[in-house]
Amino acid sequence: MKTALVTGITGQDGSYLAELLLEKGYHVHGVVRRSSTFNTSRIDHIYRDPHEADARLFLHYGDLTDGQNLTNLVLDVQPDEIYNLGAQSHVRVSFDVPAYTVQTVGIGALNVLEAARQLNKTKPTRVYQASSSEMFGEVKETPQTERTPFSPQSPYACAKVYAFHQTVNYRKSYDMFASNGILFNHESPRRGETFVTRKITRAATRIKVGLQEKLYLGNLDAKRDWGYAKDYVEGMWRILQHDEPDDFVLATGETQTIRTFLDYTFGTLDLDWNQYVEIDPRYFRPAEVDLLLGDYSKAKAKLGWSPTISCKELAELMVQHDMVLAKNEAASK
Ligand code: NAP
Ligand code: G4F
């Protein structure tokens, strides 16, 4: 039975990955930040009392900016696999808090690699680094592959480029099993509510039941390659099961504008989004990433990984989930 350590376990991907690893029989240890209110709502359904004999999910307080804590944790838990998913992951917010973003995303990844290097002296461990299609930024070619040069356009993306290169550096310098997943945007009903897809599905369903009148957005012309988060955590796992460490793009190979995502979402609810959406310049970014479109053929060939859900199906799935929330909210008024 394998043991995994997951940073960012309370986030969208961390919660789906924890479910997947538990299904596969792993012992799962998650790093959670102390907060003044509980931040474990995405994993509460899989958490059991750790004193129960069959408990396999364990949570530990920690923070990516605290390298000593991470090293102690890694040496204590002795994980076979480490998934570094923790991050200040909001691109727009990274312009407001650049130094904090670089600390968690950049130095945080370095802290994880250093902790893994210490463990590696006595026990082999494998590291997954959550790299991002945002690194392609002002894209140099389309579609983007593992060989496309990076051109980051935000403090977040710059920090992810740093973490990517450190992961490759630790692989080469210390002969470590350290791999990057270069993941394009992936969404779900568990997506944070300030990312554009979830902001749209939450608003559209609340509008449908009469709880909201307007939806304020920024740039509607950017194009994103949107997939389903559950597919992507399966890809993360496959990346660490591969016979050698490497870097892989996970994407759908299709791209849509925000307008098209609005069409899908409001269309599912028989609404015309033009009547409800207004542009608020607050949501524009100092620098925008105009187009992301990934080529996942390497992951398909070497890992047997492919996405299973189209963007339209994803929008429908998210609307279905958020409609239940909206109806419950309306009923409680
Ligand atoms: P998310 O929902 O924003 O989750 C981020 C996680 O990181 C949360 O568990 C958060 O904890 C934790 N975290 C934040 N700051 C931390 C710190 N200083 N120390 C420890 N943990 C910290 O992000 P996600 O969408 O699941 O993405 C997972 C990873 O993949 C991130 O690294 C993200 O940058 C990367 N990525 C995401 C996408 C995507 O489209 N979703 C694409 C490419 C790459 P709290 O719950 O306490 O806030
Ligand atoms: O949903 P977003 O905030 O995602 P973004 O910036 O692409 O970043 C996400 O995907 C990355 C992978 O490529 C991850 F690394 C990162 O952690 C995160 O998960 O914005 C998508 C697009 C942008 O072009 C943005 O300008 O939507 C546009 N947009 C328009 N109005 C908006 C809004 N984005 C947000 N968040 N809120 C708006 O009101």
Side-chain angles (χ1 to χ4, degrees), residues 102 265 274:
V102 169
T265 303
N274 292 288

Side-chain angles (χ1 to χ4, degrees), residues 157-170:
C158 291
K160 283 287 184 188
V161 170
Y162 170 84
F164 175 95
H165 287 306
Q166 281 293 19
T167 303
V168 175
N169 176 39
Y170 271 61

Side-chain angles (χ1 to χ4, degrees), residues 93-105:
V93 172
S94 79
F95 288 98
D96 298 330
V97 288
Y100 175 70
T101 302
V102 169
Q103 281 296 329
T104 63
V105 173

Side-chain angles (χ1 to χ4, degrees), residues 23-34:
E23 276 165 29
K24 292 187 181 295
Y26 280 64
H27 277 103
V28 180
H29 293 258
V31 180
V32 294
R33 294 195 291 173
R34 191 269 161 185

Side-chain angles (χ1 to χ4, degrees), residues 5-10 30-35 39 59-71 73 86 100:
L5 180 73
V6 181
T7 73
I9 195 167
T10 55
V31 180
V32 294
R33 294 195 291 173
R34 191 269 161 185
S35 70
N39 57 355
L59 301 179
H60 309 266
Y61 282 117
D63 196 292
L64 284 162
T65 59
D66 185 343
Q68 190 61 57
N69 157 271
L70 286 174
T71 298
L73 206 50
Y100 175 70

